[in-house]
Amino acid sequence: MTADFLAHLAMQADRIPDASALGTVGQRALTYRELVDTIDRVAANLGAAGFAPGDRMLFSIRPSVASVTLIFGVIAAGGTIVFVDPGIGPDLFAQRVALVEPTWAATESLLYAVSGPLAGFGRKRGLSLPRFGALEVRHIHSGAWLPGVPAGSIPLRRFTGKAAGSSTVPADPDAAALIVFTSGTTDDPKAVVHTRASLGAGLAAMGGRTSLAPGAFLHTEQLMMGLPALMAGARWAMPPYPRFGTHIDPVRFTHGLRSATHAFYTPADLAAALDALEAGAITAPTYLRQVALGGAPVTSALLRRARKSLPSTEFLAIYGMTEILPVAVTNDVAKLAHEGDLLGAPVPGVRARIAADGELVLAGPNLCRGYLGAEPLTEVPTGDLARWDGEQLVLTGRKKDMMIRGKTNIYPGLYEPVITAIAGVREAIMVGLPDEIGDERIVLAVVPDPGAGDIATLLRTRLPHLIDTTAVPDDIVIVDKIPVSGRTNKPDRATLRDQLRAHLG
């Protein structure tokens, strides 16, 4: 499979021109030929409007057919898409804009309005948005014109319409294609730069570890799953967003999987969907063959629940990071059969090594070029601790989540999978509450299964026989849910610490 995903889409358009390619759930999809022709028109119209190779476009439009074709068109025109979350706050937004120095911005009309003349309405809804209309760039707006859209902004629909010519920008594998911010503060914003080659290698590797193929039907709004589906000749359908929301409701999403053969969930969203399935609020999808899980750790307890509710579906646990994705993929059968937190074998091309302190370090063709403004990367430390089990990687903990008890370093990732494997435990997170001398009291927060009984007493009895005695928690606290953060809903250990500190006094 060629690593250039746009070239591969063109090949699919020649091979299966009339097959459904990209659409929205419940609506007619563009065929492969229509999709490729639309991308060519977008690239040509961008060039005619003054967009030049090397230009960077801030992108704050929720996934849709039009927004995806704009992303493709920008890359085809030799430009770079800069994904930016409008909800990060004006200060951090300003720092990120200053770092990337964009010349264009593509934004939803509603964001222009609620960050401008309707800012009071936005504040009432808890939104503190940057002034998109004040950015000194060329503007593209998605949706109908609203107050606050800058004068001279070009409607997105104009780029997908007729074009006077075609794009003639040659493909450059080393050109920046995507910039994604992963972390950082206003003093140190951190932007990952993926080239056309590294992005294509990652997409090819992702597609190679799934069963996506012609005839498959994927439901997701996630670009890094949708693009491999298109490269494989499958159909990609995106669920519609709520008018004012930025998150797809997982229960409604699951209810809409009527004809889907494949889907993607974060673990937190799958858990919400399983709650609805177990309660009988929705029925199980009939044709769902494979579900990919990513964005946060996939626990054995979640997989056990998923297999019970969806026994005919295979579940893939995808391990990776923004800098290099994917790294390893394993399925539910292998993960549940392993005693540790199995990640699986590295995908073809990825080179993994374990540093002297146990940290997993990665390299490969899907490694990003580096961080914007910094020297290129040859490898990237993950912050995860791992070990080899034959040719497979096993996660043993997180360096930054390390807790200290006396002279012992304790990594919760080594023990949490063991605890969640105990019947009756739905979720389990260990955190440390530091004292005045730097030692830590270890607290285990547990979400039990309904009807599990006195799970705290059970754990106090069993844990000394299952995990190292140095890691046995000082306190076990039963909670209704584990707080999460970010778009991928990862466990928010900082918030959990605050909650447990207040609970324990």
Side-chain angles (χ1 to χ4, degrees):
M1 178 182 289
T2 176
D4 190 311
F5 61 97
L6 290 176
H8 201 82
L9 285 184
M11 291 170 54
Q12 295 288 18
D14 292 337
R15 190 173 65 86
I16 48 174
D18 298 323
S20 294
L22 174 65
T24 301
V25 173
Q27 299 180 13
R28 177 188 174 276
L30 294 177
T31 66
Y32 272 89
R33 174 49 58 196
E34 289 172 336
L35 175 59
V36 169
D37 288 346
T38 301
I39 295 168
D40 287 343
R41 291 197 304 271
V42 171
N45 285 327
L46 281 167
F51 189 91
D55 279 357
R56 294 172 181 164
M57 181 181 290
L58 286 181
F59 200 87
S60 296
I61 303 178
R62 291 172 295 180
S64 66
V65 173
S67 67
V68 169
T69 56
L70 178 59
I71 291 171
F72 290 161
V74 167
I75 296 173
T80 306
I81 289 288
V82 182
F83 287 118
V84 61
D85 181 358
I88 58 177
D91 292 341
L92 185 53
F93 183 90
Q95 290 289 337
R96 293 182 173 185
V97 170
L99 178 64
V100 299
E101 298 180 332
T103 50
W104 290 72
T107 311
E108 294 188 30
S109 297
L110 186 62
L111 285 177
Y112 284 116
V114 298
S115 66
L118 301 181
F121 172 80
R123 286 192 293 270
K124 289 180 180 179
R125 300 184 68 89
L127 300 175
S128 178
L129 298 172
R131 288 287 304 274
F132 284 94
L135 293 172
E136 296 182 358
V137 296
R138 296 287 304 280
H139 290 271
I140 298 172
H141 63 275
S142 170
W145 184 92
L146 291 173
V149 173
S153 177
I154 306 172
L156 174 56
R157 62 180 179 276
R158 188 175 299 174
F159 291 95
T160 60
K162 293 182 179 180
S166 60
S167 175
T168 57
V169 178
D172 180 1
D174 296 323
L178 295 179
I179 295 178
V180 185
F181 285 91
T182 60
S183 62
T185 65
T186 55
D187 297 320
D188 182 28
K190 195 173 183 181
V192 172
V193 181
H194 271 286
T195 65
R196 192 158 167 168
S198 67
L199 178 62
L203 297 174
M206 185 75 79
R209 298 306 294 266
T210 71
S211 58
L212 291 166
F217 189 9
L218 170 72
H219 281 211
T220 185
E221 80 282 12
Q222 293 289 329
L223 199 68
M224 288 303 292
M225 286 302 301
L227 296 188
L230 295 178
M231 292 176 70
R235 179 180 177 182
W236 174 19
M238 287 177 285
Y241 274 83
R243 185 175 182 182
F244 297 108
T246 59
H247 186 69
I248 302 293
D249 178 74
V251 177
R252 293 186 62 185
F253 174 79
T254 305
H255 181 65
L257 296 176
R258 294 182 180 88
S259 303
T261 59
H262 292 69
F264 175 88
Y265 288 87
T266 65
D269 282 351
L270 179 61
L274 293 176
D275 288 342
L277 287 169
E278 292 165 356
I282 56 175
T283 57
T286 304
Y287 304 103
L288 194 61
R289 299 199 306 262
Q290 191 176 74
V291 166
L293 297 166
V298 180
T299 66
S300 55
L302 179 65
L303 291 176
R304 287 198 305 270
R305 290 182 64 200
R307 292 179 64 176
K308 185 176 180 179
S309 293
L310 300 167
S312 299
T313 303
E314 180 187 26
F315 295 88
L316 300 181
I318 300 170
Y319 173 75
M321 53 195 301
T322 305
E323 289 86 344
I324 180 168
L325 181 72
V327 173
V329 181
T330 190
N331 68 7
D332 51 317
V333 175
K335 196 170 180 71
L336 288 173
H338 200 277
E339 293 183 357
D341 191 356
L342 182 69
L343 302 180
V347 299
V350 168
R351 302 183 299 278
R353 67 179 181 87
I354 309 297
D357 63 353
E359 184 175 10
L360 178 62
V361 181
L362 302 167
N366 53 335
L367 175 64
C368 67
R369 184 168 71 193
Y371 302 109
L372 191 62
E375 292 296 318
L377 291 175
T378 57
E379 60 180 13
V380 61
T382 62
D384 288 328
L385 302 172
R387 63 178 174 84
W388 288 104
D389 185 352
E391 296 182 349
Q392 301 197 94
L393 288 166
V394 179
L395 191 67
T396 60
R398 283 284 295 171
K399 287 180 70 174
K400 69 179 183 180
D401 293 333
M402 182 187 74
M403 299 175 290
I404 300 175
R405 176 186 269 170
K407 295 182 179 179
T408 304
N409 295 339
I410 298 170
Y411 300 97
L414 184 62
Y415 307 107
E416 289 166 351
V418 177
I419 299 171
T420 58
I422 297 173
V425 176
R426 177 162 293 186
E427 294 181 82
I429 298 292
M430 299 174 72
V431 298
L433 301 183
D435 61 19
E436 65 274 11
I437 63 171
D439 209 352
E440 292 185 278
R441 185 173 187 83
I442 297 177
V443 183
L444 174 66
V446 176
V447 179
D449 284 328
D454 188 356
I455 198 70
T457 298
L458 173 66
L459 291 174
R460 289 190 186 97
T461 302
R462 294 194 59 186
L463 289 185
H465 306 285
L466 291 177
I467 65 177
D468 292 341
T469 56
T470 56
V472 172
D474 298 293
D475 299 286
I476 299 175
V477 178
I478 303 300
V479 297
D480 293 330
K481 62 181 180 179
I482 301 295
V484 297
S485 64
R487 290 192 169 187
T488 55
N489 292 323
K490 291 184 178 181
D492 187 339
R493 294 177 187 268
T495 297
L496 180 60
R497 287 189 189 95
D498 291 340
Q499 294 177 355
L500 294 174
R501 187 178 292 110
H503 175 83
L504 295 171

